[in-house]
Amino acid sequence: MSPDTRLTYNGALVLQALAREYRYGFEVMDFTGLPSGTVYPILRRLEEQHLVTSRWEETAAAHGAGRPRRRYYELTPAGSAALAQAAERFAVHRRVFGEA
Amino acid sequence: MSRDVHHPLLHGACAVLIRCAARLVPPGSRDRWREEWLGELWHGLAGRPQKGGWRLRLTMLARSVDAFRDAWLSRAADRRGGAGHPRRFANGIESFWHDLRFAARTFRQQRAYTMLVVTVFAVGIGANATVFSVVHGVLLEPLAYQHPAELVQINAVRHSRFGAFVDRRQRYGDMLRWRDGGGPLKMVSGVIDSGHRNVFYLTGVDEPERLRGALVSANFFTLLGTPPFMGRTFGAGDEEAGNVHVAVLSHSLWRRRFASDPAVVGGTVLLNGTSHTVLGVTPPEFTVADPSGGGGYAAEGVEIWVPLRPEHIRPDPDPASGAVDRVIARLQPGVTLAQAEAELNTRDWDSERRIQLLSLHEEYIGHTRKPLAILSGVVGLVLLLSCVNIAGLSLARLPSRRRELAVRAALGASRGRLVRQVLTESFVFAVVGGIIGLILSVWGKELLTAMAPGNIPRLDQVRISGTVAAFGAGVTALAGVIAAIIPAWTGSRADLQVDLKEGRALAGGGGTHRTRDVLVVVQIALALVLLLGGGLMIRSFWRLNRVEPGIAVDRLLAADVYRRSDDRGRAPGAIAFYRQLTERIASLPGVSGVTLTSSVPFRPRDYYHPEWRRRKVDSQYFDVLAIPVIQGRGFRPTDDRGAPTVAVISESLARSQFPDGNPLGAALDGYIVVGVVADVRHVDLATPPLATMYTHHMQEPDPRMSLIVQTSVPPMSVTAAVRDVVWDLDPDQPVANVASLADILATSDTVSAQRFNVRVLSVLGFVAVVLAMLGIYGVVAQFVTSRTREIGVRMALGSDSTDVVRLVIARGARLAVVGTVIGMLGAMPFARFLQDLLYEMTPTDPVTFCAVAAVLIATTLAASFLPARRAAHVDPVIAFRAE
């Protein structure tokens, strides 16, 4: 089963946020308007599907700036492909809904 | 790290929330989860500009609370071991949360609809919670004794020429044998709580009082497993003749007459002129239900206990032949009621009686089962009607929601997902309505228990407990599902092609119309059943109140003035006291007559003969109560001790005992009949007149006589004057149960039970009619909306407004008639269930059925009138454009 068939609308939104360089959990929430109880499970699921990766920022850099380190997320190539497919699918819906 | 954080207090609070939520995360990923969240929180509060401060704070706080959901989801995902497995569960939680937020949005955006639905839910759920609180407190709550399932009452089934009857009274000798004989009974106690032996006159205090007490075996409190609140209860030596007289007070008596003074225990009180040492006080929750099911003195309750001694048992000299009023027992552990009964009948076989054991719980509350079952069934119907009504309202909203549901389906929502959404929304409404209903049930319970007839025991134990709240929660869940199941299924049948392409909200397909019609018919049928219940009770109550009791009821005051008597019931000086009392009361201002009787009407305390009742009165009785003398004469003052013993009999007794002859001058049971009076309904309005013999109290002194005072002013206004006269003659004479005869009649069991049924069923019937009217209104209004174009065409082609109104009302009328017919069929078995509650009426009373049907059809037609009027004003031009 291809990643796209399991990609929900919210999942597509999250991928879109990552594609727009909103990498951190709270930033994705701000961009998508989705709550944490939606965003973080999606990020974990996308990570398990290898559409997204996550890693900690440089600890030394963060501590040097006097703040805790953050975890950030990035699209993988599979994730980019899945996003492209989803964008095409939802564009059809936009055409159907768009005139209302 | 927090030194650069804005809003450090908020940051600290949010960090605490996140750390608490982290405890839900599986240990393997907890550290990462917590660190990620804390990092985001820090950045959220540190990296933002100061402006928009309160929105930022609110957002961060909401996210910190939401962290719990994320933590729980990750825990659930971990339990299911991986991406594929937890997805459905996590999505389920996510979608439920989403549906909850959507329902909250509906609340805000459609307030009128929300208020209507929540109100209807609140009425249905609240009514059920209220009734269940009564059912639970009266029927289901175990007796407040230790191991109540082991407690039984020993009855005897005897036979007379009138048939078999259950006799609670047992021989004292039998009670002793059961107590001492071992076998299936662990403990046995005799109780005397009726007649004159259990009446105690509390004197030596400011205001003498007549107390209702009980003579009990020494092991009574031990048998019930009731430790004293203070002091001690009876021991074996307390019931031996010749020992110091002792007593145990009820908590209410101790509070009321002794100001909760602990010094009372160990002190003495004067009871019937004899000093009694107070051993202890019972706990506040200890009550003893009236075993007769709430007779005339149920309101008093037992307030004092005294040990049952042989001298209390009559007749002398062999107490074993005397009787106690009741025998209660505790079964041996492991012995069932049936086993104990069989063994007792084997060991103690008696040809004149069969021993019957009844659980104490059943003895006390058995007579309430049917009325409470009926009440529960009725409010259950109200709940069903509420759910059907809400289903109809929800269906009416469907056309406006079709586009929204179609969009969801297009985005991948399955049919089950759509059904869940509608169910969740209904469930949210039901929960809000249920909470309001449960709050309302607190007042509803007070109202219901205040209105309840006096023969319902244990009303003081009715409360809105955790069990009642749990019941309310269950009913709420059930109501939410029932109300939503049809709209959910109907609404989930989204046709994407049709529903998305149409640029307007659809008026709903034919299937939706038919479903709504069916729901309205069901509502009308249910409303008819409920209205019929109210109608039957109203007619029954009306019939009962038209019954002539045969005595004057207005302007009469009754009061018990029982003289202290010895154990044989003798009270020297009673006749002289009563003579002086009546003479002085007769001269009071506002008093036009006074009489004495051993048995107050509607609060009877007659002497029993196998074939008639006997009542002791004085020479003014028939005049004061306006009982006509049909033959011969009434009593004269000269009918005293020196004269031949005479009797006046009722006309029914005259007919039964002297069918062919003149009773005057004849002898009857040792009395010479001197007069015949009209029959009267002495017990209550529902009980037919009983054959009665009246004797003169001067010839057969009775220390327990009641005054009946005829007044030319409101009866209760002479109470103080009457009391003053009594206490002037004897300062230690209690005056009890002072009430007007009209009030006694109004609060008699039969009348109060009928009144209660009328009020409850009428109110519920009214609610049902209102709901049915709402349903009809909605359907007809939607009919008008969906047929606007058609109506416009008709008017353009020449139909006038009358034709349109007729068309619309016919729509409502068809539904009303179909619903009424179905309701009639369903009402027949329900009405038969009410048979026992009705007074001299058949449950299928045609007058009531026709009246109820007419009322229902008329109200549903009235509900159709507004939409019909709207339809009559449709502008054909606008109708053609509106598509």
Side-chain angles (χ1 to χ4, degrees):
Chain A
M1 194 181 298
S2 74
D4 178 56
T5 60
R6 290 183 292 177
L7 195 61
T8 64
Y9 185 71
N10 287 341
L13 278 182
V14 169
L15 287 182
Q16 183 71 1
L18 296 178
R20 297 267 186 106
E21 304 283 322
Y22 294 97
R23 296 183 170 189
Y24 301 99
F26 275 28
E27 288 178 356
V28 172
M29 288 182 220
D30 290 340
F31 175 79
T32 61
L34 298 171
S36 63
T38 302
V39 165
Y40 278 109
I42 290 175
L43 285 171
R44 284 193 287 272
R45 197 161 63 242
L46 292 174
E47 196 166 356
E48 285 162 359
Q49 293 169 359
H50 306 293
L51 301 181
V52 160
T53 58
S54 68
R55 54 175 69 92
W56 293 106
E57 60 180 0
E58 285 290 331
T59 307
H63 290 175
R67 59 175 176 82
R69 62 178 181 170
R70 297 172 79 181
R71 194 163 182 90
Y72 65 93
Y73 298 80
E74 288 176 318
L75 281 178
T76 63
S80 299
L83 176 60
Q85 286 176 4
E88 198 176 308
R89 176 157 64 92
F90 290 119
V92 171
H93 288 166
R94 204 168 47 248
R95 280 202 297 280
V96 173
F97 301 149
E99 291 75 15
Chain B
M1 281 189 183
S2 63
R3 61 180 183 273
D4 292 328
V5 170
H6 301 297
H7 321 294
L9 203 61
L10 175 66
H11 179 266
C14 292
V16 166
L17 286 173
I18 289 167
R19 286 196 167 87
C20 289
R23 299 176 79 83
L24 294 173
V25 180
S29 49
R30 186 176 297 158
D31 290 341
R32 172 195 150 166
W33 185 94
R34 183 175 50 233
E35 189 177 357
E36 182 172 359
W37 264 93
L38 289 175
E40 291 303 302
L41 173 68
W42 191 96
H43 186 81
L45 287 173
R48 305 297 183 97
Q50 284 284 21
K51 62 181 176 183
W54 71 267
R55 266 190 225 281
L56 168 70
R57 287 195 287 271
L58 209 57
T59 302
M60 289 301 120
L61 187 61
R63 285 181 181 176
S64 302
V65 172
D66 213 28
F68 282 87
R69 192 159 66 98
D70 182 35
W72 192 63
L73 286 172
S74 70
R75 180 191 185 89
D78 182 72
R79 277 193 186 143
R80 281 158 177 78
H85 303 285
R87 186 175 159 208
R88 190 187 302 173
F89 182 75
N91 280 349
I93 301 298
E94 193 178 314
S95 61
F96 178 68
W97 186 246
H98 176 269
D99 292 341
L100 280 181
R101 294 208 315 270
F102 189 81
R105 201 175 77 187
T106 307
F107 257 68
R108 289 193 303 272
Q109 292 178 348
Q110 299 184 30
R111 292 205 177 129
Y113 171 79
T114 301
M115 279 180 58
L116 183 58
V117 169
V118 166
T119 301
V120 174
F121 267 130
V123 165
I125 296 169
N128 275 269
T130 301
V131 169
F132 182 76
S133 70
V134 175
V135 168
H136 183 257
V138 172
L139 277 182
L140 302 180
E141 193 77 49
L143 297 177
Y145 308 132
Q146 197 179 60
H147 302 303
E150 295 176 352
L151 295 173
V152 298
Q153 178 158 305
I154 304 177
N155 295 333
V157 179
R158 300 183 193 278
H159 295 268
S160 72
R161 66 190 185 96
F162 299 108
F165 67 98
V166 175
D167 191 359
R168 293 188 179 91
R169 292 165 59 87
Q170 308 298 330
R171 284 194 290 262
Y172 183 65
D174 288 340
M175 189 273 291
L176 291 176
R177 199 167 54 252
W178 293 327
R179 186 188 68 179
D180 301 330
L185 304 176
K186 185 178 177 184
M187 274 190 274
V188 177
S189 173
V191 180
I192 292 178
D193 54 9
S194 68
H196 70 276
R197 291 172 289 177
N198 71 313
V199 177
F200 296 94
Y201 293 86
L202 177 66
T203 55
V205 292
D206 289 341
E207 195 173 301
E209 184 177 345
R210 193 187 85 200
L211 302 174
R212 186 178 177 207
L215 304 168
V216 297
S217 299
N219 64 356
F220 177 75
F221 293 101
T222 309
L223 185 152
L224 294 176
T226 302
F229 174 77
M230 190 183 296
R232 70 169 180 91
T233 55
F234 303 133
D238 292 323
E239 63 182 8
E240 288 175 14
N243 282 355
V244 170
H245 291 283
V246 294
V248 169
L249 310 182
S250 72
H251 199 273
S252 63
L253 178 66
W254 175 62
R255 219 175 34 239
R256 186 167 55 78
R257 293 309 307 261
F258 301 99
S260 306
D261 182 5
V264 165
V265 176
T268 58
V269 292
L270 267 181
L271 299 173
N272 295 344
T274 303
S275 182
H276 284 66
T277 302
V278 175
L279 294 182
V281 177
T282 60
E285 67 277 7
F286 180 73
T287 57
V288 181
D290 185 334
S292 64
Y297 295 104
E300 288 184 21
V302 172
E303 293 203 279
I304 194 159
W305 290 267
V306 168
L308 175 63
R309 294 178 174 179
E311 62 260 32
H312 293 129
I313 309 299
R314 292 200 293 168
D316 283 336
D318 180 9
S321 303
V324 294
D325 293 332
R326 292 188 291 141
V327 176
I328 62 173
R330 180 177 285 280
L331 298 174
Q332 294 281 9
V335 174
T336 66
L337 196 141
Q339 289 170 341
E341 186 176 300
E343 187 173 336
L344 284 177
N345 277 307
T346 303
R347 289 168 53 159
D348 203 16
W349 184 82
D350 187 327
S351 61
E352 292 182 2
R353 59 110 168 96
R354 181 177 64 80
I355 293 173
Q356 178 196 67
L357 295 186
L358 199 63
S359 77
L360 211 58
H361 185 256
E362 188 63 26
E363 177 71 29
Y364 286 168
I365 55 84
H367 65 285
T368 65
R369 279 190 197 284
K370 186 160 185 187
L372 289 179
I374 291 173
L375 192 56
S376 302
V378 167
V379 290
L381 286 180
V382 171
L383 180 67
L384 181 61
L385 179 54
S386 303
C387 294
V388 172
N389 187 271
I390 292 167
L393 291 172
S394 189
L395 271 183
R397 276 180 71 220
L398 266 185
S400 61
R401 297 191 68 182
R402 280 222 179 272
R403 190 174 182 80
E404 168 222 323
L405 294 170
V407 166
R408 288 180 190 280
L411 289 174
S414 65
R415 188 171 189 184
R417 177 70 187 85
L418 295 177
V419 168
R420 275 204 316 277
Q421 180 190 328
V422 178
L423 279 175
T424 304
E425 199 176 286
S426 172
F427 185 72
V428 169
F429 286 138
V431 166
V432 176
I435 291 171
I436 296 172
L438 206 57
I439 293 171
L440 290 176
S441 70
V442 174
W443 285 288
K445 178 218 61 160
E446 297 294 329
L447 192 62
L448 202 62
T449 52
M451 285 195 317
N455 63 350
I456 304 279
R458 309 179 74 194
L459 287 174
D460 58 319
Q461 298 194 24
V462 173
R463 55 184 59 88
I464 306 298
S465 62
T467 307
V468 174
F471 173 84
V475 166
T476 299
L478 184 67
V481 169
I482 294 175
I485 200 75
I486 292 176
W489 193 251
T490 308
S492 62
R493 286 193 308 230
D495 186 332
L496 281 180
Q497 293 288 340
V498 174
D499 295 343
L500 288 177
K501 282 185 182 171
E502 296 290 333
R504 57 173 172 79
L506 294 174
T512 306
H513 281 309
R514 272 192 297 279
T515 307
R516 279 205 77 185
D517 288 352
V518 168
L519 291 178
V520 167
V521 164
V522 169
Q523 286 179 67
I524 293 172
L526 288 172
L528 186 131
V529 171
L530 290 167
L531 201 58
L532 183 72
L536 285 171
M537 293 313 310
I538 288 173
R539 209 159 134 74
S540 171
F541 190 58
W542 178 76
R543 278 174 172 255
L544 185 67
N545 275 290
R546 281 165 55 90
V547 170
E548 282 296 329
I551 58 174
V553 173
D554 296 324
R555 303 273 177 170
L556 289 176
L557 180 78
D560 295 340
V561 188
Y562 292 8
R563 299 292 288 164
R564 284 189 307 280
S565 59
D566 58 23
D567 290 336
R568 291 171 183 268
R570 294 173 301 199
I575 292 180
F577 172 82
Y578 286 132
R579 185 185 298 120
Q580 288 180 311
L581 183 65
T582 52
E583 285 171 0
R584 289 184 60 173
I585 288 176
S587 63
L588 287 175
V591 173
S592 49
V594 61
T595 186
L596 291 166
T597 177
S598 62
S599 177
V600 173
F602 318 121
R603 207 167 64 189
R605 196 181 59 80
D606 288 325
Y607 293 92
Y608 288 89
H609 180 277
E611 297 185 58
W612 60 79
R613 295 188 174 209
R614 192 161 60 85
R615 205 166 295 152
K616 297 178 186 178
V617 300
D618 75 355
S619 50
Q620 298 300 312
Y621 184 80
F622 301 118
D623 290 335
V624 170
L625 270 72
I627 300 174
V629 178
I630 298 172
Q631 270 186 280
R633 65 172 178 83
F635 292 117
R636 298 173 184 147
T638 50
D639 293 322
D640 59 17
R641 289 207 101 149
T645 48
V646 295
V648 174
I649 61 176
S650 67
E651 55 182 321
S652 54
L653 181 55
R655 276 197 301 273
S656 68
Q657 298 297 317
F658 305 98
D660 300 319
N662 182 0
L664 297 183
L668 182 63
D669 202 34
Y671 299 90
I672 299 172
V673 178
V674 296
V676 179
V677 293
D679 282 332
V680 300
R681 290 176 185 254
H682 191 84
V683 177
D684 54 44
L685 292 180
T687 304
L690 302 172
T692 307
M693 172 187 282
Y694 300 89
T695 60
H696 202 295
H697 83 104
M698 298 263 286
Q699 295 186 324
E700 290 185 324
D702 190 323
R704 294 184 301 156
M705 298 297 283
S706 301
L707 278 171
I708 297 182
V709 182
Q710 187 180 43
T711 64
S712 55
V713 294
M716 296 303 289
S717 65
V718 305
T719 303
V722 168
R723 280 190 209 265
D724 288 343
V725 170
V726 172
W727 290 335
D728 193 47
L729 289 173
D730 181 352
D732 288 334
Q733 174 58 54
V735 181
N737 293 322
V738 182
S740 71
L741 219 58
D743 284 343
I744 295 172
L745 175 59
T747 54
S748 65
D749 286 348
T750 307
V751 173
S752 60
Q754 287 268 330
R755 188 187 306 116
F756 175 76
N757 294 333
V758 163
R759 285 176 177 167
V760 171
L761 289 175
S762 302
V763 166
L764 294 177
F766 174 75
V767 167
V769 167
V770 169
L771 290 176
M773 281 179 71
L774 267 176
I776 274 271
Y777 173 82
V779 158
V780 174
Q782 192 181 36
F783 170 76
V784 167
T785 304
S786 65
R787 303 287 188 94
T788 305
R789 179 187 269 264
E790 176 195 333
I791 293 170
V793 167
R794 283 176 183 262
M795 296 187 82
L797 291 177
S799 293
D800 60 15
S801 57
T802 310
D803 295 330
V804 171
V805 167
R806 203 178 295 132
L807 168 74
V808 174
I809 288 188
R811 176 93 171 89
R814 270 196 296 278
L815 296 175
V817 167
V818 172
T820 301
V821 169
I822 294 173
M824 290 282 202
L825 296 172
M828 300 278 188
F830 172 72
R832 291 209 166 83
F833 206 44
L834 296 178
Q835 172 80 67
D836 293 346
L837 304 182
L838 301 176
Y839 174 70
E840 289 194 354
M841 273 181 62
T842 62
T844 51
D845 178 51
V847 171
T848 310
F849 268 73
C850 290
V852 163
V855 164
L856 196 59
I857 291 176
T859 50
T860 46
L861 289 180
S864 308
F865 181 70
L866 272 177
R869 238 176 53 135
R870 188 158 53 87
H873 290 91
V874 163
D875 184 333
V877 173
I878 295 173
F880 282 125
R881 279 205 218 122
E883 189 59 26

